[in-house]
Amino acid sequence: MMGTEPSRAIRLYGTEQVDPPLRTLRAGPLTVEFDNGALRYVRVAGIEVLRGIAFLVRKENWGTFTPDVENLRFQEDADGFTVTYRATCGDASRRIVYDARIEGRADGSLSFVAEAEPLTDLLTNRTGFIVLHPIEGVAGQPVKVLHEDGREQVSQFPEKINPRCPFTDIRALSHEIAPGTWATCTMEGDAFEMEDQRNWSDASYKTYVRPLRRPWPYTLPKGVKFTQAVRLEINGPIPEGGKDQGNEPVVLELGEVIGKMPMIGIGVPAEEAAPALERPELIKRLVPRWLVCEIDLRRGHGRSELEKYRKLADLTGAEVTLEIITKGSMDPFGELQPLAHAVQEVGLAPQAVAVFPAQDMKSVQPDAPWPEMPTFEETYAAARRAFPGVKLGGGMAAYFTELNRKRPPADRLDYVSFTTCPNVHAADDISVMETLESVPHLIRSARAFMGEGVGYRIGPSQLGCRENPYGNSTAPNEHNGRVCLSRVDPRQRGLFTAAWTIGYIAACAEEGIDAVALGASTGPFGHIYRMADFEQPWYDEQNGSLVYPSYHVMSDLAASSGAELLAVRSCHGVKSIAVWKDGRVILWVANLQAQAKTIEFLSSDRPYNGRITMLSADQFERIVTNSDFVTSAMREWGGAIELHAYSVARFELS
């Protein structure tokens, strides 16, 4: 029985909170998007020069305060634009205010100045400007670095993801945006350095204030004012203005077979095994091809969890991988042997085990000493001994960042694995979707340092944060907001995650990953609703079995595991994945943006036609109440279609 009608926000994001819209500012060839005090997408003649500029205040656990913006004023004329505002950041124990002035001019120049004053002593890991350079068209390209001491350096933006800071002591960065035209970004007021944010799946290189070699957290004393600035100049001829393609139709073109679909599965956190077993029909229809089953010896997991995992394996027929986190003792075999005996006793037959000492669940800075722990070789030898004949995985149960910093010996492993979390640094909708750009870079970089003689698996990944390697705990999210490093992300329950899921799996498939696990059966990372200890607006008011929109995407793509993968060319905020299965093409198309997109197909002979199922906001109640929605809502189709915000479409093409 359905209750009240869900709002559009619930349908898209799982929460009533909505990101504010961006405001476009123009000055001659320069355009920027103003976003609650920050700037996004700094473009000159349509070319993205900077991904963003923001003045940030970060907590001691790396969480970021949301600025309270007041006295916001815009002045726009033929010569350019000026924006001024006052912002306050803080909580009950600390506060800082800053006055900002942003100016854009018709010659393409831009300045962003902030004058700040702590109203209390402010404990922070970082307070000041960050500047983001994009990765597309920039990775591997030349850059000129002006250092604080006046020294000039000619180098390149890293092509493969750098685990260390590529550049330190930065005063200015210059890169060529068009033949003979260079953009120079100058930073003032403190020492700056760069990190390769692709490490955390952000789609940018970040230049930030205060080098990490200095101690942190640190305290900004009450009443001590300071000023920082970021300035952009364009040197050389301004390119002819690029065409605004925001409203242009997106043309899809199907190509040849390029590989195989990965094996698609889900994670099973220990606390979600029992709720999953209580929903057998929904779990069976989800058809995961592999289950990443959590065994955390720090939490005392053992026989009870293994019994539930065996039942799930029997129910689904899925391959089981045991993801084992040990206590990190110097006797890994002593920890693993009792677990291996329990596996045999309950009749579980895992196809693979992946073993990670507890010490690897915390971040270690590049070149910093590792904590006392078993070596990779000792851990892997113990796992081989405890689980003979079973595939062995290794790498990091945490994020790619840690794999890049602590690289295991590939010759001891059958496959390498890592995960991602898209809201480490920013949790707004645009930033989370942007992380899909970096997934191919993660995979290519891992292959570059681990080699081709080993398999690659990713996951379980999801919007929420499984474990925070950078602080004592994940961040609370009591108000269903968009919170960095929180386990609970309300968008898991909306169309947003269905679109993100297609983008993620498509990126992995195109790079030839062997297996991908996304989300979980139930819980904060789940594809199936259950009552939980956190609020789930609208869902908690309903009766009967409910699924989230991502359920249908995962179910259908999991059923296509191993099918022939086809090339699909698209652009402009749309991501697609196509397979050849049972004599037909199955194509999923996702709109990754809040703006509607018109989708057309490019055909060399005759128009495509077939059947379509649309997962869109106007179908939301049917989507979440009918686990067979993909089949039951299918209809005949031919010609162009319109995909609304974060909508996805499944085509069967003849």
Side-chain angles (χ1 to χ4, degrees):
M1 177 179 177
M2 305 302 291
T4 59
E5 183 175 316
S7 67
R8 183 176 185 273
I10 292 293
R11 297 166 193 248
L12 297 182
Y13 310 113
T15 175
E16 297 292 356
Q17 297 189 28
V18 178
D19 279 346
L22 306 183
R23 176 167 176 167
T24 303
L25 302 171
R26 292 180 170 86
L30 174 71
T31 62
V32 302
E33 304 292 333
F34 183 83
D35 181 11
N36 193 40
L39 299 181
R40 290 181 179 272
Y41 303 125
V42 179
R43 296 184 175 97
V44 173
I47 301 168
E48 186 179 2
V49 177
L50 298 176
R51 177 55 54 99
I53 309 172
F55 188 93
L56 299 183
V57 181
R58 306 206 67 179
K59 307 173 189 178
E60 67 275 13
N61 66 352
W62 291 107
T64 304
F65 287 111
T66 299
D68 181 11
V69 175
E70 301 176 297
N71 301 327
L72 178 60
R73 294 183 175 88
F74 295 90
Q75 180 181 340
E76 300 175 79
D77 55 36
D79 295 326
F81 60 81
T82 301
V83 183
T84 58
Y85 64 87
R86 166 164 278 213
T88 304
C89 294
D91 53 26
S93 63
R94 54 195 157 176
R95 292 172 71 80
I96 186 173
V97 298
Y98 63 92
D99 292 302
R101 184 178 182 87
I102 303 168
E103 294 181 287
R105 293 291 171 257
D107 60 0
S109 64
L110 177 70
S111 68
F112 193 157
V113 181
E115 299 177 350
E117 179 182 3
L119 301 182
T120 66
D121 286 349
L122 182 77
L123 183 66
T124 178
N125 277 357
R126 177 178 300 149
T127 293
F129 274 113
I130 65 163
V131 176
L132 306 180
H133 281 77
I135 58 176
E136 297 303 322
V138 175
Q141 297 304 303
V143 60
K144 299 175 183 177
V145 184
L146 176 64
H147 294 279
E148 287 188 287
D149 60 5
R151 178 173 52 94
E152 294 185 351
Q153 174 188 6
V154 178
S155 186
Q156 291 181 324
F157 286 99
E159 182 172 4
K160 299 299 185 290
I161 301 174
N162 195 327
R164 297 171 177 82
C165 293
F167 310 111
T168 60
D169 302 319
I170 300 169
R171 177 59 61 231
L173 295 166
S174 302
H175 73 288
E176 194 173 30
I177 63 171
T181 304
W182 288 74
T184 298
C185 183
T186 303
M187 292 145 283
E188 305 168 0
D190 205 331
F192 287 77
E193 69 183 14
M194 178 188 287
E195 68 186 11
D196 194 335
Q197 277 209 132
R198 295 175 298 173
N199 270 300
W200 295 271
S201 77
D202 297 70
S204 59
Y205 302 97
K206 180 170 71 178
T207 304
Y208 54 90
V209 77
R210 190 177 172 95
L212 287 173
R213 65 178 179 271
R214 296 183 183 178
W216 46 268
Y218 59 98
T219 298
L220 293 174
K222 175 182 177 180
V224 178
K225 299 179 181 181
F226 61 93
T227 300
Q228 294 180 15
V230 175
R231 306 184 195 279
L232 177 69
E233 292 184 355
I234 306 300
N235 300 295
I238 299 293
E240 292 186 11
K243 184 178 181 181
D244 182 6
Q245 298 176 321
N247 295 321
E248 290 285 312
V250 175
V251 179
L252 299 183
E253 182 178 6
L254 291 173
E256 300 297 320
V257 173
I258 57 173
K260 297 286 188 182
M261 266 288 285
M263 183 167 58
I264 305 299
I266 60 173
V268 188
E271 64 273 14
E272 301 302 334
L277 290 168
E278 293 169 0
R279 295 154 176 81
E281 292 306 314
L282 292 179
I283 292 296
K284 286 169 65 176
R285 189 178 289 275
L286 187 58
V287 291
R289 295 304 174 91
W290 69 307
L291 302 173
V292 184
C293 297
E294 176 192 47
I295 292 291
D296 192 338
L297 299 183
R298 300 171 301 177
R299 298 166 57 191
H301 292 169
R303 185 184 181 99
S304 175
E305 288 75 20
L306 293 170
E307 288 175 341
K308 297 182 183 70
Y309 296 149
R310 180 188 59 77
K311 292 177 182 178
L312 279 174
D314 293 343
L315 178 67
T316 61
E319 294 187 8
V320 169
T321 291
L322 291 181
E323 181 188 71
I324 305 168
I325 301 173
T326 72
K327 297 177 183 178
S329 75
M330 299 305 292
D331 180 17
F333 181 72
E335 291 194 62
L336 294 173
Q337 185 180 35
L339 180 65
H341 286 321
V343 167
Q344 290 182 326
E345 289 172 357
V346 304
L348 179 63
Q351 281 72 32
V353 297
V355 181
F356 311 98
Q359 294 89 334
D360 280 341
M361 302 306 292
K362 289 299 179 184
S363 179
V364 175
Q365 288 292 319
D367 303 318
W370 292 6
E372 183 182 15
M373 59 186 294
T375 65
F376 285 123
E377 290 79 3
E378 291 168 339
T379 296
Y380 298 156
R384 294 280 193 195
R385 182 181 169 193
F387 297 94
V390 177
K391 285 185 178 180
L392 178 62
M396 291 291 150
Y399 308 129
F400 172 87
T401 324
E402 312 315 316
L403 176 67
N404 201 10
R405 292 172 173 176
K406 301 171 69 176
R407 303 174 178 181
D411 59 355
R412 306 298 177 97
L413 298 170
D414 295 304
Y415 69 87
V416 176
S417 68
F418 62 88
T419 70
T420 66
C421 175
N423 61 20
V424 172
H425 292 120
D428 61 275
D429 300 335
I430 294 174
S431 295
V432 168
M433 280 299 184
E434 283 177 351
T435 62
L436 297 175
E437 296 177 28
S438 72
V439 173
H441 296 255
L442 300 174
I443 297 168
R444 295 170 199 163
S445 296
R447 281 204 172 101
F449 62 75
M450 295 299 296
E452 294 290 346
V454 64
Y456 288 89
R457 299 185 180 190
I458 292 182
S461 299
Q462 58 276 313
L463 295 193
C465 177
R466 286 204 301 167
E467 188 163 341
N468 181 5
Y470 318 109
N472 294 327
S473 65
T474 56
N477 187 3
E478 300 172 357
H479 305 293
N480 266 305
R482 295 158 172 80
V483 179
C484 293
L485 295 170
S486 174
R487 283 181 62 81
V488 178
D489 192 310
R491 290 167 296 194
Q492 184 70 27
R493 308 186 288 269
L495 282 165
F496 183 96
T497 294
W500 182 83
T501 297
I502 290 171
Y504 198 102
I505 293 178
C508 291
E510 290 165 3
E511 293 298 324
I513 286 291
D514 300 311
V516 183
L518 287 183
S521 49
T522 53
F525 313 143
H527 303 292
I528 300 170
Y529 166 80
R530 71 166 175 85
M531 187 69 73
D533 58 357
F534 52 89
E535 182 184 2
Q536 300 176 80
W538 186 80
Y539 285 93
D540 289 340
E541 304 168 8
Q542 312 309 312
N543 297 317
S545 298
L546 301 173
V547 299
Y548 303 134
S550 61
Y551 176 93
H552 303 287
V553 175
M554 289 294 293
S555 175
D556 194 73
L557 292 182
S560 296
S561 296
E564 291 185 319
L565 181 72
L566 303 178
V568 189
R569 189 173 67 185
S570 64
C571 55
H572 313 325
V574 169
K575 193 64 179 176
S576 309
I577 188 167
V579 298
W580 177 256
K581 182 184 177 185
D582 300 331
R584 65 189 190 278
V585 174
I586 297 175
L587 168 68
W588 280 92
V589 183
N591 182 0
L592 306 181
Q593 297 181 349
Q595 296 78 35
K597 298 285 185 181
T598 300
I599 309 296
E600 297 178 351
F601 288 83
L602 181 64
S603 175
S604 59
D605 47 10
R606 59 184 176 83
Y608 283 106
N609 60 76
R611 296 187 295 174
I612 184 175
T613 303
M614 292 279 288
L615 276 68
S616 55
D618 61 348
Q619 296 289 310
F620 181 80
E621 291 170 273
R622 293 180 62 197
I623 291 168
V624 301
T625 57
N626 182 3
S627 61
D628 192 34
F629 178 81
V630 165
T631 300
S632 64
M634 196 176 296
R635 59 178 173 82
E636 296 299 315
W637 155 84
I641 65 160
E642 187 171 33
L643 278 182
H644 293 282
Y646 305 115
S647 294
V648 301
R650 179 189 184 272
F651 300 87
E652 288 188 5
L653 302 177
S654 57

